[in-house]
Amino acid sequence: MFENFFADSMTLFQGALAGLVFGFLLQKGGVTRYSVIVGQFLLKDFTVLKVMLTAIIVGSVGIFGMRAMGSEVALHIKNATLFGNILGGLIFGVGMAILGYCPGTGVGAMGDGSRHAIPGVLGMLVGAAIFAEVYPFMKAEVLGVADLGKATLDSVSGLSPWWFIALMTAAGIAVFVVLERWERSHA
Amino acid sequence: MSNLLKKERWSPYLVGSGLGVLSWITFAWMGKALGVSTTMVRATGAIEKLAVPAHVESNVYFVKYLGTAAEPKPVFEWQFALVVMLFLGAFLAARLAGSRFREEVPALWAWRFGPSKWLRYAGAFLGGVILLFGARLAGGCTSGHGISGGLQLAVSSWAFFISMFASGVVTAFLLFGKEGRDHV
């Protein structure tokens, strides 16, 4: 029944290596902790925002930089099925505030010792099962609404991606400076 | 170096930069983008297949990721290996610092909903169901959309990121109120 169960060993080695580093970083960042995630949504602890924005800025500079220097680095853009992206995001936020983890940090939290992350991850499997059953409906009624295809901010605007990277970096640094000051004055 | 590895918490800017550099490596060397939630679909499909193989093989969503009986796609592929080792990476990071801790009911939850372990487990389970349903509808989660998609300037990912953040803030305040901030 499970022919072809495993991918080739090089692919698995690469995935394993990426996962090991990913999990290590998430735990060291504190984002495998319930209090840090829910603290972010209660606008008290801004660790999640700092980690994510920094990752996005550093990641984009490197990947667009490599492409600009002629490296053939393929992009992996997800379809902008906007109604689905937004509705899914709203549903995701409700679940994440209740669980206190997202999928990656939930798996990491189990490694970090959290017991309640275990029913959380089991719930994720059930959520996937339910979605698989309603997928034909979603595909017909939701995912086709406002479908822009593999749209990016640069492709939609016709501007160079570097404008957006510069804007993200400047906005990110401004947000970080304000947050650090605010945290110091409220410490 | 060994002092750094034993340190309990790293600066969020260091961790974020590390995740950014990890993305360079997965994009350039592995030809992949960091993500987690598709693995939940593959795992669920494989488990369901043990009980109801015909149902899984005829479900278009499972076929999309696991293939058909004639042309099966690997269940345990790049991202599956990533998710399994993510667990170990977090475990090692916590063990090296001696900071691993067994949490059954978080303090904030206990303050709001009481100390019952089973009520918290039920809440966590429900949260997980809702969360992953939303992730699959949106086409990704905090890593696939949030980090990988955000850094590629994908419209889909920024739409997801902003809506999930806004919804998380509203839900958290509805659940715990302003007073909850004193109990995090």
Side-chain angles (χ1 to χ4, degrees):
Chain A
M1 192 200 304
F2 286 113
E3 302 82 15
N4 198 20
F5 187 82
F6 289 103
D8 64 279
S9 53
M10 185 59 179
T11 302
L12 293 182
F13 169 74
Q14 290 179 338
L17 190 64
L20 193 69
V21 176
F22 196 14
F24 198 94
L25 287 169
L26 291 177
Q27 200 282 338
K28 287 295 182 196
V31 293
T32 54
R33 294 285 158 96
Y34 173 93
S35 60
V36 173
I37 306 260
V38 182
Q40 173 65 72
F41 287 144
L42 290 172
L43 305 176
K44 189 182 176 186
D45 179 337
F46 283 83
T47 304
V48 174
L49 197 66
K50 291 178 193 170
V51 168
M52 288 192 74
L53 284 182
T54 309
I56 289 171
I57 293 167
V58 171
S60 67
V61 169
I63 285 160
F64 283 93
M66 286 189 278
R67 285 166 64 88
M69 289 189 298
S71 279
E72 280 182 39
V73 178
L75 295 183
H76 307 270
I77 310 286
K78 291 174 191 283
N79 277 335
T81 49
L82 278 185
F83 187 45
N85 300 141
I86 292 170
L87 187 61
L90 294 174
I91 295 171
F92 187 93
V94 171
M96 189 167 165
I98 296 173
L99 173 56
Y101 306 112
C102 58
T105 56
V107 172
M110 292 183 352
D112 195 11
S114 166
R115 294 303 159 100
H116 57 108
I118 300 170
V121 172
L122 291 175
M124 291 180 204
L125 296 175
V126 173
I130 297 171
F131 187 78
E133 299 307 318
V134 300
Y135 177 70
F137 170 82
M138 291 296 176
K139 192 172 160 67
E141 305 294 331
V142 175
L143 297 175
V145 181
D147 183 358
L148 308 181
K150 300 201 181 297
T152 56
L153 297 174
D154 45 304
S155 74
V156 167
S157 65
L159 296 169
S160 156
W162 291 102
W163 286 109
F164 294 97
I165 296 169
L167 180 72
M168 260 176 5
T169 308
I173 290 171
V175 167
F176 297 153
V177 168
V178 170
L179 281 176
E180 295 300 326
R181 271 199 200 157
W182 178 79
E183 280 167 8
R184 216 160 294 146
S185 66
H186 285 72
Chain B
M1 190 65 193
S2 107
N3 280 344
L4 186 65
L5 294 179
K6 284 180 183 160
K7 212 173 147 199
E8 192 175 331
R9 282 282 283 274
W10 290 358
S11 151
Y13 306 114
L14 177 63
V15 169
S17 302
L19 293 173
V21 172
L22 178 62
S23 289
W24 303 353
I25 296 167
T26 65
F27 271 76
W29 180 42
M30 306 177 184
K32 304 276 188 189
L34 289 175
V36 172
S37 67
T38 315
T39 295
M40 302 298 169
V41 178
R42 293 198 180 94
T44 298
I47 294 166
E48 276 190 47
K49 216 169 163 179
L50 295 171
V52 280
H55 180 71
V56 173
E57 276 155 18
S58 66
N59 178 293
V60 280
Y61 199 64
F62 286 133
V63 167
K64 190 171 156 176
Y65 294 105
L66 298 177
T68 57
E71 284 179 67
K73 292 180 187 173
V75 174
F76 202 101
E77 41 63 79
W78 185 82
Q79 196 193 83
F80 210 115
L82 179 148
V83 173
V84 171
M85 290 301 276
L86 194 164
F87 171 88
L88 193 66
F91 175 84
L92 284 176
R95 279 300 291 269
L96 279 171
S99 66
R100 197 164 182 272
F101 92 117
R102 181 192 167 119
E103 183 182 65
E104 288 176 340
V105 184
L108 174 71
W109 180 277
W111 165 77
R112 180 68 180 81
F113 299 108
S116 162
K117 181 169 94 174
W118 295 105
L119 182 66
R120 172 54 195 158
Y121 286 6
F125 182 85
L126 180 69
V129 172
I130 297 171
L131 169 90
L132 216 91
F133 186 91
R136 294 330 300 165
L137 182 57
C141 61
T142 4
S143 30
H145 261 318
I147 296 175
S148 302
L151 70 87
Q152 297 178 86
L153 310 173
V155 171
S156 53
S157 303
W158 283 96
F160 169 82
F161 190 24
I162 293 165
S163 31
M164 81 90 182
F165 205 89
S167 158
V169 169
V170 171
T171 308
F173 274 95
L174 286 175
L175 283 176
F176 303 108
K178 230 184 146 190
E179 218 190 315
R181 302 175 76 185
D182 301 330
H183 298 269
V184 180

